[in-house]
Amino acid sequence: MSGRLASVLAVAVVVASAAGCGGGGRSESAVCANGDGGLDNKAFVFVEGPRSGERVLSGFRVTGCSSTFEANVNWRLRARDGHVLAKGFTQGGSQEPGSFAFTVDYPIGARQVGHLEVYEPRVTEEGFPAVKNVVPLVLEP
């Protein structure tokens, strides 16, 4: 039985890996897996890493999955007092979910809790609010 269970689990891992973003196998990100179609025709931004509460150093890497207008994903890192330490943009998924990754460099003098905001830029005032993911992090100098 345990041999059979191991075989079933191995097949499940292969199938999940092959699913990738939008079922096309374009991403290694688990959060992009869309074998069940649950992410079809949805606007979203998922941050896979770093996780909430992680301690990070300048130059940390952010990974995730998105489906946004024209694949645009904006980001900014805010200090404890709210001012922007760093900002930028990257590309993720558009019509189908797609993975994204970027690096964040920031200047601070003392350890503090900051907030990484990863979001879809607002392109219209109509419809649903733009999607946004906010991750609190411990920023190390």
Side-chain angles (χ1 to χ4, degrees):
M1 182 85 149
S2 64
R4 182 169 185 223
L5 180 58
S7 296
V8 169
L9 290 176
V11 169
V13 169
V14 169
V15 169
S17 297
C21 288
R26 295 181 302 157
S27 172
E28 296 175 15
S29 173
V31 298
C32 263
N34 192 32
D36 64 355
L39 302 179
D40 289 348
N41 301 315
K42 311 282 192 301
F44 64 88
V45 174
F46 298 147
V47 175
E48 189 169 26
R51 293 180 177 211
S52 178
E54 266 189 56
R55 294 176 184 271
V56 296
L57 294 168
S58 182
F60 70 91
R61 183 171 167 82
V62 178
T63 60
C65 182
S66 67
S67 178
T68 59
F69 181 72
E70 295 184 349
N72 292 318
V73 178
N74 288 13
W75 61 268
R76 64 183 157 235
L77 179 66
R78 292 189 181 271
R80 181 180 64 220
D81 65 5
H83 82 272
V84 176
L85 295 169
K87 64 181 179 177
F89 62 92
T90 190
Q91 296 285 295
S94 181
Q95 298 295 324
E96 294 182 0
S99 61
F100 63 81
F102 57 90
T103 301
V104 180
D105 294 306
Y106 61 87
I108 59 168
R111 178 182 301 123
Q112 60 186 278
V113 174
H115 292 89
L116 174 66
E117 301 172 348
V118 185
Y119 59 97
E120 175 182 34
R122 188 77 173 162
V123 294
T124 180
E125 294 301 317
E126 297 176 13
F128 295 104
V131 295
K132 184 177 188 179
N133 199 313
V134 180
V135 182
L137 300 168
V138 179
L139 308 177
E140 300 283 354

